[in-house]
């Protein structure tokens, strides 16, 4: 009975280890000079694409599978990543991108740098400790935007926006633009500043820290908003 019990326990742990390994998927290494898109096309949902440090000048598309991307050591640069209809959560960590797009996909972005814009439509979205040099357009059903550096953002859906730095860089714009009756946000502990211009002609709905419009609602708590202004006396 003791031997049968030991065999049963051993069989259970082997099954558990194999099950855990299979659940995590394969790890696919990609070196500079190799194709990231080819690795994506050959991968299965749950696999991890690990990029060696370097530049990959590709527009990579992930369609109907969930994949995890990360850099092996130093930051790896990919021109753009687009996710379509990913059934479960995909992730990006420690990558540098020009643009990032997600449509009807669940996506986690962590410690990434986006040189231009992020556009999210549908699905669920989380971003943490990242940099978006230009605009975040997020129309996810649920989003969590946390502790990141962002120039400005347009948000729809249910969103938590906490601990971010919105720097307008002395350009026109709205730091956080909430839009639509299906939109509710908790905006707390953010620093929002330097949305400004000096413009002779008329100016409307710009140089604002936070704008809640078209039936959206928000709880706005403990934010620091300053230097949002237009400095020319002419025009309306």
């Amino acid at each position: 009975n003791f031997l049968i019990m030991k065999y049963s326990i051993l069989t259970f742990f082997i099954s558990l280890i194999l099950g855990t390994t299979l659940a995590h998927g394969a790890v696919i290494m990609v070196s500079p000079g190799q194709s990231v898109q080819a690795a994506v096309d050959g991968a299965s949902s749950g696999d991890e694409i690990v990029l060696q440090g370097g530049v990959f000048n590709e527009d990579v598309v992930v369609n109907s599978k969930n994949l995890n991307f990360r850099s092996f050591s130093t930051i790896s640069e990919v021109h753009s990543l687009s996710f379509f209809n990913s059934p479960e959560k995909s992730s990006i960590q420690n990558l540098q991108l020009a643009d990032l797009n997600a449509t009807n996909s669940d996506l986690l972005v962590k410690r990434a740098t986006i040189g231009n814009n992020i556009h999210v439509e549908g699905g669920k979205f989380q971003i943490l400790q990242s940099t978006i040099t230009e605009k975040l357009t997020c129309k996810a059903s649920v989003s969590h935007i946390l502790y990141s550096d962002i120039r400005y953002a347009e948000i729809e859906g249910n969103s938590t926006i906490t601990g971010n730095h919105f720097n307008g860089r002395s350009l026109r714009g709205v730091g956080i633009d909430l839009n639509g009756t299906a939109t509710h946000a908790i905006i707390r502990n953010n620093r929002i500043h330097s949305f400004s211009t000096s413009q002779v002609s008329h100016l409307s709905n710009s140089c604002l820290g936070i704008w809640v419009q078209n039936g959206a609602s928000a709880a706005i708590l403990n934010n620091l908003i300053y230097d949002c202004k237009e400095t020319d006396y002419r025009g309306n």
Side-chain angles (χ1 to χ4, degrees):
N1 289 339
F2 178 69
L3 291 176
I4 293 173
M5 183 180 295
K6 286 179 65 179
Y7 177 78
S8 300
I9 293 171
L10 181 61
T11 303
F12 170 77
F13 277 110
I14 290 173
S15 300
L16 182 62
I17 291 168
L18 288 175
T20 303
T21 304
L22 291 173
H24 281 90
V27 176
I28 303 171
M29 304 290 291
V30 184
S31 300
Q34 296 179 323
S35 170
V36 180
Q37 186 64 59
V40 167
D41 293 343
S44 300
S45 282
D47 287 353
E48 185 175 35
I49 309 291
V50 180
L51 306 181
Q52 302 279 10
V55 177
F56 300 84
N57 191 22
E58 296 182 65
D59 297 316
V60 179
V61 176
V62 180
N63 202 337
S64 300
K65 62 177 78 172
N66 56 292
L67 297 174
N68 302 302
F69 293 83
R70 67 177 175 89
S71 183
F72 181 68
S73 53
T74 58
I75 292 293
S76 298
E77 181 179 343
V78 179
H79 187 259
S80 72
L81 264 175
S82 298
F83 294 82
F84 295 96
N85 304 313
S86 295
E88 297 179 22
K89 184 182 289 183
S90 296
S91 67
I92 298 168
Q93 294 191 56
N94 301 318
L95 292 185
Q96 182 173 327
L97 308 169
D99 295 285
L100 174 62
N101 303 284
T103 302
N104 297 326
S105 301
D106 292 354
L107 182 62
L108 166 66
V109 179
K110 187 175 181 180
R111 292 191 298 272
T113 299
I114 313 301
N116 293 317
N117 306 301
I118 293 181
H119 189 100
V120 178
E121 192 85 34
K124 298 177 182 178
F125 179 68
Q126 300 177 65
I127 186 165
L128 174 66
Q129 296 176 327
S130 295
T131 297
I132 307 171
T133 304
E134 291 298 332
K135 186 176 184 180
L136 167 62
T137 302
C138 182
K139 300 180 181 181
S141 58
V142 177
S143 62
H144 300 282
I145 301 162
L146 309 171
Y147 306 104
S148 294
D149 291 312
I150 305 168
R151 189 168 106 69
Y152 63 126
E154 180 181 346
I155 308 294
E156 295 182 15
N158 291 310
S159 185
T160 301
I161 305 168
T162 301
N164 303 284
H165 178 202
F166 293 88
N167 184 355
R169 305 201 306 269
S170 297
L171 299 171
R172 305 176 45 167
V174 179
I176 302 173
D177 181 354
L178 301 180
N179 202 329
T181 56
T183 298
H184 177 73
I186 300 172
I187 304 173
R188 60 189 172 201
N189 301 338
N190 300 280
R191 184 157 63 104
I192 307 166
H193 66 95
S194 301
F195 291 90
S196 64
T197 189
S198 180
Q199 182 172 310
V200 173
S201 59
H202 302 327
L203 184 69
S204 179
N205 300 326
S206 188
C207 301
L208 304 173
I210 299 173
W211 187 16
V212 183
Q213 59 168 323
N214 296 329
S217 62
I220 302 173
L221 311 167
N222 199 42
N223 300 278
L224 181 62
I225 304 172
Y226 60 96
D227 283 345
C228 298
K229 60 190 178 182
E230 200 277 327
T231 59
D232 196 288
Y233 66 92
R234 291 163 289 185
N236 297 321

